[in-house]
Amino acid sequence: MDTYEIRTFGCQMNKHDSERIAGLLASMGLTEAGEDQTADVVVFNTCCVREKADERLYGQVASLKAAKTAGLDTLIAVGGCIGQRDGAKLLRQLPHIDVVFGTHNIARLPQLLTAAAEQRDAVVEVLEAGEGDFTSDLPTLREHPWHAWVPIAVGCDNFCTYCIVPYVRGRERSRTFEDVVAEVGRLVADGVVEVTLLGQNVNSYGRDLYGQPRFAELLRAVAATGIGRIRFTTSHPKDLSDETIAAMAETPQVCRHLHLPAQSGSDRILKLMNRHYTAGSYLALVDRLYTAMPDLALTTDLIVGFPGEQEDDFAGTMQLVEAARYDQAFTFIYSPREGTPAATMADQVPHDVIQERFDRLVAAIQSSALAKNLPLVDTMQRVLVEGASKRDPRMLLGRTGGNKVVHAPCPPELRPSGLAGRFVDVEVQEAQTWFLLGSLRG
Ligand code: SAH
Ligand code: SF4
Ligand code: F3S
């Protein structure tokens, strides 16, 4: 075993876990395989939130099988949420897998790989959620040296009726306040300028440990470490407090961006989804947010075609989209997940009906995104540079606090990659639906 490759699917929590996996493999002496090399170890960090994510694993493992039958000794490890959900069952459908692990035992991957290599037989280890969940004391190989994911809680207690996450990630468990703040402090010392605090529902952070949420307080404490920028995801609307809105508004390090999944704009569907808010209370919350932060970038998740969704329910979603003035939205076609209550609800919506609604929703989101970007023309934006633009290597690419992609020509004496991880001021000259164009100032 000399080289590895990690293929990551799913949410930011998985991206973070993959950085931990990379750190563990590096500490075993492995290096990342080159692009046209077949790695000795291929790790799939999987997601099962929608059916499409499931299917991708099957396709990709099948194509790796060819390498195995060609005599290459590639070890295939499958972890993440499909590993957690299916365990040994995976081997029945994908017998070429060597290691199956779950979301609670990432730290064990080196031992599992070694065992699989020695016994030439598949090794399966999937644990129930419990002790030893936090991977924060594991080595990490960050994708960008200047950015870090920081999990503040894992798992979820909300049981939205369509969602499999609580079943594969377990109940919500928060990290201690001191632990989170100390980790960010170490990251700052290590050159990190932006952190993204992660949890399925960051707004309830601390409730399990302290009897009440401490997210607002955590934002202020993390800002005091000297970090340049703080992002966080995800916020459940039912738990977003006025105290958190105030902490966001008053803390300059906290980005003026909130991802606030609405899922639907129909009260009837929201109830069936077990979301604990109405379209009206969601929009009242949005009003409070824009009042406190008029320049806030607001993004969301929306599901089309939840069981029983009628045309007037969908009309509610379209109205909500118009009223909330989103900067961006992730739109999903409802995907039944076995074991969740919604999968067996009556009135599953036919695919062609969903597709037609989905197309209308995507068009509405596009015009909303452009409408939010146009007023940014002629403003100055503080941009964190990520590197060179893929379209033109002389242009730099970065993001505003509102998480908008910005392209700007790089000064001729500098290279965009040399500016990665640095803050620059950009004057915006042009706004498109999904990006801004500007030039460097100062
Ligand atoms: N904890 C986060 C996000 C979890 S999954 C939250 O509550 O916002 C990310 C998104 O996937 C969800 O917001 C939802 O819009 C979508 N999603 C989850 N399960 C789904 C399903 N079965 N079908 C379609 N979309 C789904
Ligand atoms: Fe899933 Fe709902 Fe939990 Fe988000 S809050 S992870 S959508 S159950
Ligand atoms: Fe997917 Fe698991 Fe995240 S199911 S969305 S990778 S928590």
Side-chain angles (χ1 to χ4, degrees), residues 8-266:
T8 309
F9 308 89
C11 63
Q12 286 97 337
M13 197 61 91
N14 261 19
K15 287 190 183 150
H16 166 260
D17 286 343
S18 285
E19 292 187 346
R20 301 292 192 201
I21 292 170
L24 283 164
L25 297 174
S27 68
M28 291 171 74
L30 276 70
T31 56
E32 194 174 4
E35 289 212 353
D36 36 67
Q37 219 182 348
T38 304
D40 299 327
V41 177
V42 179
V43 181
F44 291 89
N45 194 10
T46 61
C47 171
C48 53
V49 77
R50 284 169 296 273
E51 195 178 351
K52 272 217 179 92
D54 255 68
E55 286 165 356
R56 280 174 71 194
L57 171 73
Y58 284 81
Q60 295 203 14
V61 172
S63 69
L64 260 187
K65 187 181 131 186
K68 281 205 136 180
T69 35
L72 289 175
D73 247 355
T74 303
L75 279 178
I76 301 175
V78 176
C81 293
I82 298 183
Q84 184 68 34
R85 185 192 60 187
D86 294 346
K89 272 195 282 178
L90 264 178
L91 297 172
R92 269 187 249 149
Q93 303 208 41
L94 296 169
H96 294 271
I97 297 173
D98 301 285
V99 172
V100 180
F101 62 112
T103 53
H104 306 295
N105 61 341
I106 287 172
R108 290 266 303 150
L109 184 60
Q111 290 89 323
L112 300 176
L113 284 171
T114 309
E118 280 167 5
Q119 71 194 52
R120 313 276 344 139
D121 200 4
V123 175
V124 179
E125 188 183 278
V126 174
L127 306 182
E128 292 293 308
E131 294 303 303
D133 262 327
F134 284 105
T135 50
S136 50
D137 48 353
L138 299 179
T140 305
L141 210 60
R142 290 193 301 272
E143 183 184 355
H144 301 297
W146 44 268
H147 174 268
W149 308 105
V150 178
I152 62 170
V154 294
C156 182
D157 288 347
N158 291 311
F159 289 93
C160 303
T161 53
Y162 49 82
C163 184
I164 199 164
V165 170
Y167 305 92
V168 288
R169 292 280 174 169
R171 293 298 74 68
E172 182 175 276
R173 286 171 312 282
S174 304
R175 271 173 85 182
T176 68
F177 196 94
E178 294 71 28
D179 208 14
V180 175
V181 176
E183 182 178 7
V184 178
R186 286 194 300 275
L187 291 166
V188 169
D190 198 29
V192 169
V193 296
E194 181 182 82
V195 289
T196 306
L197 308 178
L198 294 180
Q200 295 301 341
N201 178 11
V202 292
N203 295 313
S204 59
Y205 165 77
R207 192 181 281 153
D208 54 327
L209 291 180
Y210 308 112
Q212 59 183 37
R214 289 180 71 185
F215 185 61
E217 201 187 327
L218 186 71
L219 283 178
R220 296 182 199 270
V222 167
T225 60
I227 191 77
R229 254 186 193 177
I230 304 169
R231 298 187 183 282
F232 58 86
T233 201
T234 303
S235 282
H236 196 305
K238 77 176 165 64
D239 294 314
L240 180 60
S241 65
D242 287 339
E243 208 190 331
T244 296
I245 298 175
M248 283 185 77
E250 289 160 21
T251 314
Q253 292 89 338
V254 177
C255 287
R256 291 292 171 95
H257 170 217
L258 184 68
H259 186 63
L260 193 66
Q263 313 300 0
S264 170
S266 153

